Amino acid sequence: MTPAAGGAGAQLVVIAKSPVPGTVKTRLTPPYTAREAAALAEAALRDTLAAVAAVPAARRVLALLGEPGPWLPAGYDVVAQRGGDLAERLTAAFADAWTALPLPVVLIGMDTPQVTPALLTEAVRLLDGHDIVVGPAADGGFWLLGQRTPDPALLAGLPMSRPDTGALLMERIRAAGVRTALLPELTDVDTAADAHAVAARIPSSRFAATLAALGADVPA
């Protein structure tokens, strides 16, 4: 894929799993069934891909575990995820994007359907004057990571999916002495309570409509 005409000098990468029942959003079961959890995952992924598609970028990439489906819009290069654990797969996604096109990389997951084109545009803008941009997540992780020049040492061996993941990442960044910017904190959709909280913030989204169609009450 050639850089988009007039696009910004950065590329946006979404790292995701195909929304197959039983393989995604397993912490939503219960109260939801595996099929319902997959429907919510697909809605979150669709909202995320739509937000990315609305941002001027030199290239848009989906680093995918699984196979693409009808939920994938036009304009994305699809690459298979590489590596074992999540830290390895994130590192590989940065490396593969940089190898294909040596421009700054902004990477997000599929767990924050409330992400907006404005937030992503700000991440790209911040990389003009910073080496790294981080979007912290409410669960202690991060929902976005941007690198002006990807460093494989940044994520190597980093414990993932823990309450201190984000803090450990920031310790590495501070130790490296690089210029860093932060974006607002967002909530990853991991639990049913997360899903309802996020949907309430984005009532017109596909994610909120999918959750409402399931008809479940907000968990206590």
Side-chain angles (χ1 to χ4, degrees):
M1 177 178 175
T2 57
Q11 50 193 320
L12 299 175
V13 178
V14 179
I15 187 165
K17 290 182 180 179
S18 295
V20 176
T23 67
V24 290
K25 294 296 167 205
T26 55
R27 290 175 63 188
L28 293 177
T29 57
Y32 302 107
T33 67
R35 188 171 297 277
E36 290 170 337
L40 288 170
E42 179 176 330
L45 181 55
R46 284 180 180 265
D47 284 338
T48 301
L49 293 171
V52 170
V55 179
R59 182 172 180 248
R60 298 177 188 88
V61 181
L62 175 63
L64 184 63
L65 184 63
E67 297 297 325
W71 41 263
L72 177 63
Y76 279 85
D77 290 347
V78 179
V79 298
Q81 291 183 28
R82 298 188 295 110
D85 61 21
L86 180 56
E88 290 180 356
R89 287 183 279 122
L90 290 171
T91 299
F94 276 106
D96 291 345
W98 181 264
T99 298
L101 185 65
L103 288 176
V105 181
V106 172
L107 182 147
I108 64 170
M110 60 184 286
D111 297 333
T112 51
Q114 72 272 43
V115 68
T116 63
L119 276 173
L120 296 171
T121 299
E122 177 67 0
V124 171
R125 186 193 69 79
L126 286 168
L127 284 179
D128 279 341
H130 299 82
D131 300 298
I132 293 177
V133 58
V134 178
D139 63 3
F142 55 92
W143 64 269
L144 177 146
L145 181 61
Q147 297 188 71
R148 188 172 180 84
T149 303
D151 177 4
L154 181 64
L155 296 170
L158 183 71
M160 303 298 293
S161 303
R162 293 186 355 185
D164 60 347
T165 293
L168 293 172
L169 174 64
M170 293 307 299
E171 285 181 10
R172 291 189 178 193
I173 291 172
R174 284 190 290 269
V178 294
R179 299 165 298 172
T180 308
L182 294 177
L183 289 173
E185 181 180 277
L186 294 184
T187 297
D188 282 346
V189 175
D190 290 322
T191 66
D194 296 334
H196 283 274
V198 168
R201 298 189 183 100
I202 48 172
S204 62
S205 66
R206 184 183 296 269
F207 181 80
T210 301
L211 184 66
L214 298 181
D217 295 330
V218 179

